[in-house]
Amino acid sequence: MTVSKIWVLAEATDGKVATTTLEILAKARELADTVEVVTAAGAEIAAEVGAHGATKVFTVGGTDGKLLGAPVAGAMAAAIESGNAPDVILMATSYTGRDVAGRLSVKIDAPVITNVVDLVESDGRLAGVVPIFGGATDVSTKFTTDNVDIFLIRPKSFAAEESGGAAASVEELTVPDLGATGAAVVTSRFVEEKTGPSLDEAAVVVSGGRGLGEKDNYQLVEDLAKLLQAAPGASRAIVDAGWVPYSYQVGQTGKVVKPSLYIAAGISGATQHLVGMKGSKNIIAINKDAEAPIFAVSDLGIVGDVHKVLPKLIEALQARS
Amino acid sequence: MANLVAEFEFLLSVLSEPQSQGMLLRMNVVVCVKQIPDPADPGALDPQTNTLKRDGKLILDESDSYGVEMALQLVDTAGGGEVTLVSMAPNGEVSGLRTALAMGAAKAVLVSDEALAGSGALSTSKVLAKAILRAGEADLILTATESSDGYTGVVPEQIAELLQLPSITFAKEITIEGNTLKVQRQTEAGYDEVESPLPAVVSVTAGVVEPRYPSFKGIMAAKSKPVDQVTLADLEIDPSSVGWAGGGQEIVLVAQAESRAGGTIIEDDGEGFQKIVDLLAELKVI
């Protein structure tokens, strides 16, 4: 094995472990003799993470209603300083993963390598592979410190797979006094109602961009998505313009999707966007600019006006059903 | 292992003591901003150093314009106070800062030092944290969620930890009630309402406010607004702890990623949609 021990930050919702965590566990057990998880989700995830290769769960208690960055990083740093340090800590590039990694890196004075899509061996240490220039170039970077290596892993970088392990043993970590850093509390939670499949899981994704011209035209994307049982998505440009909520965003910021079919309507294909969707199995693009970078990654590209192509496409699909 | 937090502790008294009661009558907001190469220009790696080339004019990262706008609105609502920019650049570049000053920020602290070249997120945060303390009394520190060029996304939390402050990332909306900060924080499922005492660090999600365009008057005024340009020595930061020297990382390989095979690109002649229908059928989507 490349390294002796890896910790994985395990995220869970209502006792169900996040897919991103399971993806990271699959890679971690390939790289390390021992894989352990740290979680604020409690001992109830012990069976599930055990089945994915973790032998121990370190629980961080008392986090109800708190943002997790400060308490989880505090508990990890205290454990590391008491001599229980892993070689490597892996977390997802998620809201919580980034918060924990940022706090922890300062607490133990260790840098972080972020946006990692693969981990490779380099002279007995791990290097993180990070795509740049819209995924055209991969840069592999490793740490040279004598500290713990912290990597933030992009979603969908690895395939989650059970390894059939027994339930992990459980040990509670102590959260030190956080002072002001632990003072942010969640007072209420709002769930935005969405119908249809989620961007993360949909087999087909239909995304719209600036080429739609105006906010009302996003309805064309919604209509097409509905006909294909697809999830609607968006480029950063129209999220920033306020046409659709941030949760629709596909790209470097936002969601990474790998559906079997991705349809890009009026999206030019900025680096920001390509990073989030070029892993799709099939890509169809409609854009009026023949030079648009999106066509370089498309299996089928239609150089044309989305306002003409989409309504005809929708009509043709309605006629079939 | 250096105790970073202890190193900062003696400086922290500079941050604002909470005001005793009621609404804030003034609100001092520090906004961390980055000046980046124009994203319309795709950029390249310097073959010698494997870092992004930074020649050419730098602009204000669009991601930061939302934080600047939010800060200006919060100061307006409070009825007093000012917005101070904090930034770092290896080469003394100010053109991006002038844009934010033209929007209405009062002044800026720019850390400029050749030794900063190649700085990673942790080095950047150490420098920005000290620059924030130099900027004076702050009730609130705003950042973007990530820069548009480096996009590590960990700087806001690192700054908060260095300054021993509470933090709320991915803010959609910020309101101040008395000494309490109330934030709508973006989540996977929707958003959370999160509260924290001030001072605090908040990262602002792009697109949540409409950044104002600088007026002609604003642009003229920006030319004479103070930019406190400081070096690492001024901030008592050891140059070997930042930049290349302090990164603690080594690039082991730069490789072309596997590229997708080119597909069929056709000009729409009015029947382009049919090609899509055919492919959908072939893929058994319909």
Side-chain angles (χ1 to χ4, degrees), chain A residues 95 98-99 102-103 105 107 109 114-115 131 135-136 138 140-144 180 184-190 192 236 240 252-253 261 278 280-281 297-301 303 309 312, chain B residues 1 4 63 126 146 151-152 157-158 160-161 165-167 169-170 185-186 189-195 206-207 248-255 257 260 263-266 268 270 280:
Chain A
Y95 297 102
R98 303 208 301 188
D99 283 5
R103 292 264 180 195
S105 92
K107 283 180 185 289
D109 197 13
T114 60
N115 293 301
D138 286 334
S140 304
T141 309
K142 71 172 176 180
F143 292 100
T144 55
V185 292
V186 179
T187 54
S188 52
R189 297 184 190 275
F190 293 86
E192 282 165 2
R236 176 172 167 175
D240 285 2
Q252 182 171 288
T253 325
L261 175 63
K278 74 190 275 274
S280 306
K281 200 155 173 236
V297 300
S298 300
D299 300 284
L300 173 61
V303 181
V309 179
K312 282 185 185 164
Chain B
M1 190 180 304
L4 279 178
S63 303
K126 291 177 189 176
E146 61 188 9
Y151 62 98
T152 65
E157 285 292 289
Q158 287 175 331
E161 184 66 24
L165 292 178
S167 57
T169 48
F170 287 91
R185 179 186 194 244
Q186 181 79 45
Y191 67 91
D192 290 347
E193 300 256 35
V194 187
E195 289 186 11
Q249 295 166 40
E250 178 192 356
I251 290 172
V252 293
L253 184 69
V254 176
R260 294 179 69 100
T264 313
I265 311 296
I266 60 156
D268 181 37
L280 292 174

Coordinates of all heavy atoms in Angstrom, one line a residue, chain A residues 95 98-99 102-103 105 107 109 114-115 131 135-136 138 140-144 180 184-190 192 236 240 252-253 261 278 280-281 297-301 303 309 312, chain B residues 1 4 63 126 146 151-152 157-158 160-161 165-167 169-170 185-186 189-195 206-207 248-255 257 260 263-266 268 270 280:
Chain A
Y95 N -19.7 21.8 0.8 CA -19.8 22.9 1.7 C -19.0 22.6 3.0 O -18.2 23.4 3.5 CB -21.2 23.2 2.0 CG -22.0 23.7 0.8 CD1 -22.9 22.8 0.2 CD2 -21.9 25.0 0.4 CE1 -23.7 23.2 -0.9 CE2 -22.7 25.4 -0.7 CZ -23.5 24.5 -1.4 OH -24.3 24.9 -2.4
R98 N -15.0 21.8 2.6 CA -14.2 23.0 2.5 C -14.0 23.7 3.8 O -13.0 24.2 4.1 CB -14.7 23.9 1.4 CG -14.8 23.2 0.1 CD -14.7 24.0 -1.1 NE -15.7 25.1 -1.2 CZ -15.8 25.9 -2.3 NH1 -15.1 25.7 -3.4 NH2 -16.7 26.8 -2.3
D99 N -15.1 23.8 4.6 CA -15.1 24.5 5.9 C -14.1 23.8 6.8 O -13.3 24.4 7.5 CB -16.5 24.5 6.5 CG -17.4 25.6 5.9 OD1 -17.0 26.2 4.9 OD2 -18.5 25.8 6.3
G102 N -10.4 24.1 5.6 CA -9.8 25.4 5.8 C -9.4 25.6 7.3 O -8.3 26.0 7.6
R103 N -10.3 25.3 8.2 CA -10.0 25.4 9.6 C -8.9 24.5 10.0 O -8.0 24.9 10.8 CB -11.3 25.1 10.4 CG -12.4 26.1 10.3 CD -12.4 27.1 11.4 NE -13.5 28.0 11.2 CZ -13.6 29.2 11.9 NH1 -12.6 29.5 12.7 NH2 -14.6 30.0 11.7
S105 N -6.5 23.2 8.3 CA -5.1 23.5 7.7 C -4.4 24.5 8.6 O -3.2 24.5 8.7 CB -5.3 23.9 6.3 OG -5.4 25.3 6.1
K107 N -5.1 25.1 11.9 CA -4.9 24.5 13.2 C -3.6 23.7 13.2 O -2.9 23.7 14.2 CB -6.1 23.7 13.6 CG -7.3 24.5 14.1 CD -8.4 23.6 14.5 CE -9.7 24.4 14.9 NZ -9.5 25.1 16.2
D109 N -1.3 23.9 10.7 CA -0.3 24.5 9.8 C 0.1 23.6 8.6 O 1.2 23.5 8.3 CB 0.9 25.0 10.6 CG 1.7 26.1 9.7 OD1 1.1 26.6 8.7 OD2 2.8 26.4 10.1
T114 N -6.6 21.2 -3.4 CA -8.0 21.2 -3.6 C -8.4 20.8 -5.0 O -7.5 20.7 -5.9 CB -8.6 22.5 -3.3 OG1 -8.0 23.5 -4.2 CG2 -8.4 23.0 -1.9
N115 N -9.6 20.5 -5.3 CA -10.1 20.2 -6.6 C -9.5 18.9 -7.2 O -9.2 18.9 -8.4 CB -10.0 21.4 -7.5 CG -10.9 22.5 -7.1 OD1 -12.1 22.3 -7.0 ND2 -10.4 23.6 -6.7
P131 N -7.3 19.1 -12.5 CA -7.4 19.6 -13.9 C -7.4 21.1 -13.9 O -8.0 21.8 -13.1 CB -8.8 19.1 -14.3 CG -9.5 18.9 -13.0 CD -8.5 18.7 -11.9
G135 N -9.9 21.4 -17.9 CA -9.6 20.0 -18.0 C -8.7 19.6 -19.1 O -8.5 18.4 -19.4
A136 N -8.1 20.6 -19.8 CA -7.2 20.2 -20.9 C -5.9 19.7 -20.4 O -5.2 18.9 -21.1 CB -7.0 21.4 -21.8
D138 N -3.7 18.2 -16.9 CA -3.7 17.7 -15.5 C -2.4 18.0 -14.8 O -1.4 17.7 -15.3 CB -3.9 16.2 -15.5 CG -5.4 15.8 -15.9 OD1 -6.3 16.6 -15.7 OD2 -5.5 14.7 -16.4
S140 N -0.3 17.2 -11.4 CA -0.2 16.3 -10.2 C 0.8 17.0 -9.2 O 1.9 17.3 -9.5 CB 0.4 15.0 -10.6 OG -0.4 14.4 -11.6
T141 N 0.3 17.2 -8.0 CA 1.0 17.9 -7.0 C 1.1 17.0 -5.7 O 0.1 16.5 -5.3 CB 0.4 19.2 -6.6 OG1 0.1 19.9 -7.8 CG2 1.2 20.1 -5.7
K142 N 2.2 17.0 -5.1 CA 2.3 16.3 -3.8 C 2.9 17.2 -2.7 O 3.5 18.3 -3.1 CB 3.1 15.0 -3.9 CG 4.6 15.2 -4.1 CD 5.3 13.9 -3.9 CE 6.8 14.1 -4.2 NZ 7.5 12.8 -4.1
F143 N 2.7 16.9 -1.5 CA 3.2 17.7 -0.4 C 4.7 17.4 -0.1 O 5.1 16.2 -0.3 CB 2.4 17.5 0.9 CG 1.0 18.0 0.8 CD1 0.0 17.1 0.5 CD2 0.7 19.3 1.0 CE1 -1.3 17.6 0.4 CE2 -0.6 19.8 0.9 CZ -1.6 18.9 0.6
T144 N 5.4 18.4 0.4 CA 6.8 18.2 0.8 C 7.0 18.4 2.3 O 8.1 18.4 2.8 CB 7.8 19.1 0.0 OG1 7.3 20.4 0.2 CG2 7.7 18.8 -1.5
A180 N -14.7 31.9 20.1 CA -15.7 32.5 19.2 C -15.8 31.8 17.9 O -16.8 31.9 17.2 CB -15.2 33.9 18.9
A184 N -21.2 30.3 15.3 CA -22.3 30.4 14.2 C -23.2 29.2 14.4 O -22.8 28.0 14.5 CB -21.6 30.3 12.8
V185 N -24.5 29.5 14.5 CA -25.5 28.5 14.7 C -26.6 28.6 13.7 O -27.0 29.6 13.2 CB -26.2 28.6 16.1 CG1 -25.2 28.3 17.2 CG2 -26.8 30.0 16.4
V186 N -27.1 27.4 13.3 CA -28.2 27.3 12.3 C -29.5 27.5 13.1 O -29.8 26.7 14.0 CB -28.2 26.0 11.6 CG1 -29.3 25.9 10.6 CG2 -26.8 25.8 10.9
T187 N -30.3 28.4 12.7 CA -31.6 28.7 13.4 C -32.8 28.0 12.7 O -33.7 27.7 13.3 CB -31.9 30.2 13.6 OG1 -31.8 30.8 12.3 CG2 -30.8 30.8 14.5
S188 N -32.7 27.9 11.4 CA -33.7 27.1 10.6 C -33.2 26.7 9.3 O -32.2 27.2 8.8 CB -35.0 28.0 10.5 OG -34.6 29.2 9.9
R189 N -33.8 25.6 8.7 CA -33.4 25.1 7.5 C -34.5 25.1 6.5 O -35.7 24.9 6.8 CB -33.0 23.6 7.6 CG -31.8 23.5 8.5 CD -31.3 22.0 8.6 NE -30.4 21.8 9.7 CZ -29.0 21.9 9.5 NH1 -28.6 22.4 8.4 NH2 -28.2 21.7 10.5
F190 N -34.2 25.5 5.2 CA -35.3 25.6 4.2 C -34.9 24.6 3.1 O -33.7 24.7 2.6 CB -35.4 27.0 3.6 CG -35.9 28.0 4.6 CD1 -35.1 28.6 5.5 CD2 -37.3 28.2 4.7 CE1 -35.6 29.5 6.5 CE2 -37.8 29.1 5.7 CZ -37.0 29.7 6.6
E192 N -35.6 23.7 -0.7 CA -36.3 24.2 -2.0 C -36.9 23.0 -2.7 O -36.2 22.1 -3.0 CB -35.2 24.9 -2.9 CG -34.9 26.3 -2.4 CD -33.6 26.9 -3.0 OE1 -33.0 26.3 -3.9 OE2 -33.3 28.1 -2.6
R236 N -22.8 29.1 -15.2 CA -22.6 30.1 -14.1 C -23.1 31.4 -14.5 O -23.7 32.2 -13.7 CB -21.1 30.2 -13.8 CG -20.8 31.3 -12.8 CD -19.4 31.2 -12.3 NE -19.1 32.5 -11.5 CZ -18.0 32.7 -10.9 NH1 -17.1 31.8 -10.9 NH2 -17.8 33.9 -10.3
D240 N -25.4 33.6 -12.1 CA -24.9 34.9 -11.6 C -25.9 36.0 -12.0 O -26.1 37.0 -11.3 CB -23.5 35.3 -12.2 CG -22.4 34.5 -11.5 OD1 -22.7 33.7 -10.6 OD2 -21.2 34.7 -11.9
Q252 N -17.3 24.3 -12.4 CA -16.2 24.3 -11.4 C -16.7 24.7 -10.1 O -16.5 24.1 -9.1 CB -15.2 25.4 -12.0 CG -14.0 25.6 -11.2 CD -13.1 26.5 -12.1 OE1 -12.6 26.1 -13.1 NE2 -13.0 27.8 -11.7
T253 N -17.5 25.8 -10.0 CA -18.3 26.2 -8.9 C -19.6 25.5 -9.2 O -20.0 25.5 -10.3 CB -18.6 27.7 -8.9 OG1 -17.4 28.3 -9.4 CG2 -18.9 28.2 -7.5
L261 N -26.2 11.3 -20.9 CA -26.3 12.4 -22.0 C -26.4 13.8 -21.4 O -27.2 14.0 -20.4 CB -27.6 12.1 -22.8 CG -28.0 13.2 -23.8 CD1 -26.9 13.3 -24.9 CD2 -29.3 12.9 -24.5
K278 N -17.6 17.7 -18.7 CA -17.0 17.0 -19.9 C -16.8 15.5 -19.6 O -16.5 14.8 -20.5 CB -15.7 17.7 -20.3 CG -14.5 17.5 -19.3 CD -13.4 18.4 -19.7 CE -12.5 17.9 -20.8 NZ -11.5 17.0 -20.3
S280 N -19.3 13.6 -19.1 CA -20.6 13.0 -19.5 C -20.3 12.1 -20.7 O -19.4 12.3 -21.5 CB -21.6 14.1 -20.0 OG -21.7 15.1 -19.0
K281 N -21.1 11.0 -20.7 CA -20.9 10.0 -21.8 C -21.1 10.5 -23.2 O -20.3 10.3 -24.1 CB -21.8 8.8 -21.5 CG -21.3 7.5 -22.1 CD -21.7 6.3 -21.4 CE -21.3 5.0 -22.2 NZ -22.5 4.2 -22.5
V297 N -16.0 19.4 -27.3 CA -16.2 18.2 -26.5 C -17.6 17.5 -26.8 O -18.0 16.6 -26.2 CB -16.2 18.6 -25.0 CG1 -14.9 19.2 -24.6 CG2 -17.4 19.5 -24.6
S298 N -18.2 18.0 -27.9 CA -19.5 17.5 -28.3 C -19.5 16.3 -29.2 O -18.7 16.3 -30.2 CB -20.4 18.6 -28.9 OG -20.5 19.7 -28.0
D299 N -20.4 15.4 -29.0 CA -20.6 14.3 -30.0 C -21.4 14.7 -31.1 O -21.2 14.3 -32.3 CB -21.2 13.1 -29.3 CG -20.4 12.6 -28.1 OD1 -19.4 11.9 -28.4 OD2 -20.7 12.9 -27.0
L300 N -22.4 15.6 -30.8 CA -23.2 16.2 -31.9 C -23.3 17.7 -31.6 O -23.7 18.1 -30.5 CB -24.6 15.6 -31.9 CG -25.6 16.2 -32.8 CD1 -25.1 16.2 -34.3 CD2 -27.0 15.6 -32.7
G301 N -22.9 18.5 -32.5 CA -23.0 20.0 -32.3 C -23.9 20.6 -33.4 O -23.7 20.3 -34.6
V303 N -24.8 24.1 -34.9 CA -24.5 25.5 -35.0 C -25.8 26.2 -35.4 O -26.1 26.1 -36.6 CB -23.3 25.8 -36.0 CG1 -23.0 27.3 -36.0 CG2 -22.1 25.0 -35.6
V309 N -34.1 26.0 -32.7 CA -33.8 24.6 -32.6 C -34.6 24.0 -31.4 O -35.3 22.9 -31.6 CB -32.3 24.3 -32.4 CG1 -32.1 22.8 -32.3 CG2 -31.5 24.8 -33.6
K312 N -38.5 23.5 -32.0 CA -38.7 22.4 -33.0 C -38.5 21.0 -32.3 O -39.2 20.1 -32.6 CB -37.9 22.6 -34.2 CG -38.4 23.6 -35.1 CD -37.5 23.6 -36.4 CE -37.9 24.8 -37.3 NZ -36.9 25.0 -38.3
Chain B
M1 N 5.7 22.1 15.0 CA 4.5 22.7 14.3 C 4.3 24.2 14.9 O 4.1 24.4 16.0 CB 3.3 21.9 14.6 CG 2.1 22.2 13.8 SD 0.7 21.1 14.2 CE 1.4 19.5 14.0
L4 N 0.2 28.9 14.8 CA -0.3 30.0 14.0 C -1.2 30.9 14.8 O -1.2 32.1 14.7 CB -1.0 29.5 12.7 CG -0.2 29.1 11.6 CD1 -1.1 28.6 10.5 CD2 0.6 30.3 11.1
S63 N -16.1 37.5 -9.1 CA -16.6 36.8 -7.9 C -16.6 37.8 -6.7 O -17.4 37.7 -5.8 CB -15.8 35.6 -7.6 OG -15.8 34.7 -8.6
K126 N -2.6 33.6 5.4 CA -1.8 34.2 6.4 C -1.5 35.7 6.1 O -1.5 36.5 7.0 CB -0.4 33.5 6.5 CG -0.5 32.1 7.1 CD 0.9 31.4 7.1 CE 0.7 29.9 7.4 NZ 2.1 29.2 7.3
E146 N -14.8 31.6 -3.6 CA -13.6 31.1 -4.2 C -13.2 32.1 -5.3 O -14.0 32.8 -5.9 CB -13.7 29.7 -4.8 CG -14.7 29.6 -5.9 CD -15.0 28.1 -6.3 OE1 -14.5 27.2 -5.6 OE2 -15.7 28.0 -7.3
Y151 N -9.5 29.1 -7.5 CA -10.7 28.4 -6.9 C -10.4 27.2 -5.9 O -10.9 26.2 -6.0 CB -11.6 27.9 -8.1 CG -11.1 26.9 -9.1 CD1 -11.3 25.5 -9.0 CD2 -10.3 27.3 -10.2 CE1 -10.9 24.6 -9.9 CE2 -9.9 26.4 -11.1 CZ -10.1 25.1 -11.0 OH -9.7 24.2 -11.9
T152 N -9.5 27.5 -5.0 CA -9.3 26.5 -3.9 C -10.5 26.5 -3.0 O -10.8 25.4 -2.5 CB -8.0 26.8 -3.1 OG1 -8.2 28.0 -2.4 CG2 -6.8 26.9 -3.9
E157 N -12.3 30.2 5.3 CA -12.3 29.6 6.6 C -10.9 29.7 7.2 O -10.7 29.7 8.4 CB -12.6 28.1 6.4 CG -14.1 27.8 6.2 CD -14.9 28.1 7.4 OE1 -14.8 27.3 8.4 OE2 -15.6 29.1 7.4
Q158 N -9.9 29.7 6.4 CA -8.5 29.8 6.9 C -8.3 31.2 7.5 O -7.8 31.3 8.6 CB -7.5 29.6 5.8 CG -7.3 28.2 5.3 CD -6.4 28.0 4.2 OE1 -6.3 28.8 3.3 NE2 -5.8 26.8 4.1
A160 N -10.7 33.0 8.8 CA -11.5 33.0 10.0 C -10.8 32.3 11.2 O -10.7 32.8 12.3 CB -12.8 32.4 9.8
E161 N -10.1 31.2 10.9 CA -9.4 30.5 11.9 C -8.2 31.3 12.4 O -7.9 31.3 13.6 CB -9.0 29.1 11.4 CG -8.3 28.2 12.4 CD -9.2 27.8 13.5 OE1 -10.5 27.8 13.4 OE2 -8.7 27.5 14.6
L165 N -12.2 33.9 14.5 CA -13.5 34.4 14.4 C -14.5 33.4 13.9 O -14.1 32.4 13.3 CB -13.5 35.6 13.3 CG -12.8 36.8 13.7 CD1 -12.8 37.8 12.5 CD2 -13.3 37.5 14.9
P166 N -15.8 33.5 14.2 CA -16.8 32.7 13.6 C -16.9 32.9 12.1 O -16.5 34.0 11.7 CB -18.1 33.0 14.3 CG -17.8 34.4 14.9 CD -16.4 34.6 15.1
S167 N -17.4 32.0 11.4 CA -17.5 32.2 9.9 C -18.8 31.5 9.4 O -19.3 30.5 9.9 CB -16.3 31.6 9.3 OG -16.2 30.2 9.6
T169 N -20.0 30.4 5.5 CA -19.6 30.4 4.1 C -20.9 30.3 3.2 O -21.9 29.9 3.6 CB -18.7 29.2 3.8 OG1 -19.3 28.0 4.4 CG2 -17.3 29.4 4.3
F170 N -20.8 30.6 1.9 CA -21.8 30.5 0.9 C -23.1 31.4 1.3 O -24.2 30.8 1.3 CB -22.2 29.1 0.7 CG -21.1 28.4 -0.1 CD1 -20.1 27.7 0.5 CD2 -21.2 28.4 -1.5 CE1 -19.1 27.1 -0.2 CE2 -20.2 27.8 -2.2 CZ -19.1 27.1 -1.6
R185 N -27.6 30.8 4.2 CA -26.5 30.1 3.7 C -26.9 29.0 2.8 O -27.7 28.2 3.1 CB -25.7 29.5 4.9 CG -24.5 28.7 4.4 CD -23.9 27.9 5.6 NE -22.6 27.5 5.3 CZ -22.2 26.2 5.2 NH1 -23.1 25.2 5.5 NH2 -21.0 25.8 4.9
Q186 N -26.4 29.1 1.5 CA -26.7 28.1 0.5 C -26.4 26.7 1.0 O -25.3 26.5 1.7 CB -25.8 28.4 -0.7 CG -26.0 27.5 -1.9 CD -27.2 27.9 -2.6 OE1 -27.5 29.0 -2.9 NE2 -28.0 26.9 -3.0
A189 N -29.6 21.3 -0.3 CA -31.0 21.1 -0.4 C -31.8 22.5 -0.6 O -32.9 22.5 -1.1 CB -31.6 20.4 0.8
G190 N -31.2 23.6 -0.2 CA -31.9 24.8 -0.3 C -31.0 25.9 0.4 O -30.0 26.2 -0.1
Y191 N -31.5 26.3 1.6 CA -30.6 27.2 2.4 C -30.9 27.1 3.9 O -32.0 26.7 4.3 CB -30.7 28.7 1.9 CG -32.0 29.3 2.2 CD1 -32.3 30.1 3.3 CD2 -33.1 29.3 1.2 CE1 -33.5 30.7 3.6 CE2 -34.3 29.9 1.4 CZ -34.5 30.6 2.6 OH -35.7 31.2 2.8
D192 N -29.9 27.5 4.7 CA -30.1 27.5 6.2 C -30.0 29.0 6.6 O -29.3 29.8 6.0 CB -28.9 26.8 6.9 CG -28.9 25.3 6.7 OD1 -30.0 24.8 6.2 OD2 -27.9 24.7 7.0
E193 N -30.8 29.3 7.6 CA -30.6 30.6 8.3 C -29.6 30.4 9.4 O -29.8 29.5 10.2 CB -31.9 31.0 9.0 CG -33.1 31.2 8.0 CD -33.4 32.7 7.7 OE1 -32.4 33.5 7.6 OE2 -34.6 33.0 7.5
V194 N -28.5 31.1 9.3 CA -27.4 31.0 10.3 C -27.2 32.3 11.0 O -27.2 33.4 10.4 CB -26.1 30.5 9.6 CG1 -25.1 30.2 10.6 CG2 -26.4 29.3 8.7
E195 N -27.0 32.2 12.3 CA -26.7 33.5 13.1 C -25.3 33.4 13.7 O -24.9 32.3 14.1 CB -27.7 33.7 14.2 CG -29.1 34.1 13.7 CD -30.0 34.4 14.8 OE1 -29.6 34.5 16.0 OE2 -31.2 34.5 14.5
A206 N -21.6 34.1 -5.6 CA -21.8 34.9 -6.7 C -23.2 35.0 -7.1 O -24.0 34.1 -7.0 CB -20.9 34.4 -7.9
G207 N -23.6 36.2 -7.7 CA -24.9 36.3 -8.3 C -26.0 36.7 -7.3 O -27.2 36.9 -7.8
G248 N 5.1 24.2 0.6 CA 5.1 22.9 1.1 C 4.6 21.9 0.0 O 4.1 20.8 0.4
Q249 N 4.6 22.2 -1.2 CA 4.1 21.4 -2.3 C 5.1 21.3 -3.5 O 5.9 22.2 -3.6 CB 2.8 21.9 -2.8 CG 1.7 21.9 -1.8 CD 0.5 22.7 -2.2 OE1 0.1 22.7 -3.4 NE2 -0.1 23.4 -1.3
E250 N 5.0 20.3 -4.2 CA 5.9 20.1 -5.4 C 5.0 19.5 -6.5 O 4.3 18.6 -6.3 CB 7.0 19.1 -4.9 CG 8.0 18.8 -6.0 CD 8.8 17.6 -5.6 OE1 8.7 17.1 -4.4 OE2 9.6 17.2 -6.4
I251 N 5.2 20.1 -7.7 CA 4.5 19.6 -8.9 C 5.3 18.4 -9.4 O 6.5 18.6 -9.7 CB 4.2 20.7 -9.9 CG1 3.2 21.7 -9.4 CG2 3.8 20.1 -11.2 CD1 3.0 22.9 -10.2
V252 N 4.7 17.3 -9.5 CA 5.4 16.1 -10.0 C 5.2 15.8 -11.4 O 5.9 15.1 -12.1 CB 5.2 14.9 -9.1 CG1 5.7 15.1 -7.7 CG2 3.7 14.5 -9.0
L253 N 4.0 16.3 -12.0 CA 3.7 15.9 -13.4 C 2.7 16.9 -13.9 O 1.7 17.3 -13.3 CB 3.1 14.5 -13.5 CG 2.8 14.0 -14.9 CD1 4.1 13.7 -15.6 CD2 2.0 12.7 -14.8
V254 N 3.0 17.4 -15.1 CA 2.0 18.2 -15.9 C 1.7 17.5 -17.2 O 2.7 17.2 -17.9 CB 2.5 19.6 -16.2 CG1 1.5 20.4 -17.1 CG2 2.8 20.4 -14.9
A255 N 0.5 17.1 -17.4 CA 0.2 16.2 -18.6 C -1.0 16.7 -19.3 O -2.0 17.2 -18.7 CB 0.0 14.8 -18.1
A257 N -4.5 16.2 -20.5 CA -5.6 15.3 -20.2 C -6.1 14.6 -21.4 O -6.0 15.1 -22.5 CB -6.7 16.1 -19.5
R260 N -11.6 14.4 -25.6 CA -12.7 13.6 -26.2 C -12.5 13.6 -27.8 O -12.0 14.6 -28.3 CB -14.0 14.3 -25.9 CG -14.4 14.3 -24.5 CD -15.7 15.0 -24.3 NE -16.8 14.3 -24.9 CZ -17.6 13.5 -24.2 NH1 -17.5 13.4 -22.9 NH2 -18.6 12.9 -24.8
G263 N -16.7 15.2 -32.5 CA -18.0 14.7 -32.9 C -18.4 15.3 -34.3 O -17.6 15.8 -35.0
T264 N -19.7 15.2 -34.5 CA -20.2 15.7 -35.7 C -20.8 17.1 -35.5 O -21.6 17.3 -34.6 CB -21.4 14.9 -36.2 OG1 -21.0 13.5 -36.2 CG2 -21.9 15.2 -37.6
I265 N -20.3 18.1 -36.2 CA -20.8 19.5 -36.0 C -21.5 19.9 -37.3 O -20.9 19.8 -38.4 CB -19.6 20.5 -35.7 CG1 -18.7 20.0 -34.6 CG2 -20.1 21.9 -35.4 CD1 -19.3 19.8 -33.3
I266 N -22.7 20.3 -37.2 CA -23.5 20.7 -38.4 C -24.1 22.0 -38.2 O -24.4 22.5 -37.1 CB -24.6 19.7 -38.8 CG1 -25.6 19.5 -37.6 CG2 -24.0 18.3 -39.2 CD1 -26.9 19.1 -38.1
D268 N -27.2 24.5 -38.6 CA -28.6 24.2 -38.6 C -29.2 24.8 -39.9 O -29.1 26.0 -40.2 CB -29.2 24.9 -37.4 CG -30.7 24.7 -37.3 OD1 -31.2 23.6 -37.7 OD2 -31.5 25.6 -36.9
G270 N -32.5 24.4 -40.3 CA -33.9 24.3 -40.0 C -34.3 22.9 -39.6 O -35.4 22.7 -39.0
L280 N -31.0 10.9 -30.0 CA -31.7 10.5 -28.8 C -32.3 9.1 -28.9 O -32.3 8.3 -28.0 CB -32.9 11.5 -28.5 CG -32.5 13.0 -28.1 CD1 -33.7 13.9 -28.0 CD2 -31.7 12.9 -26.7

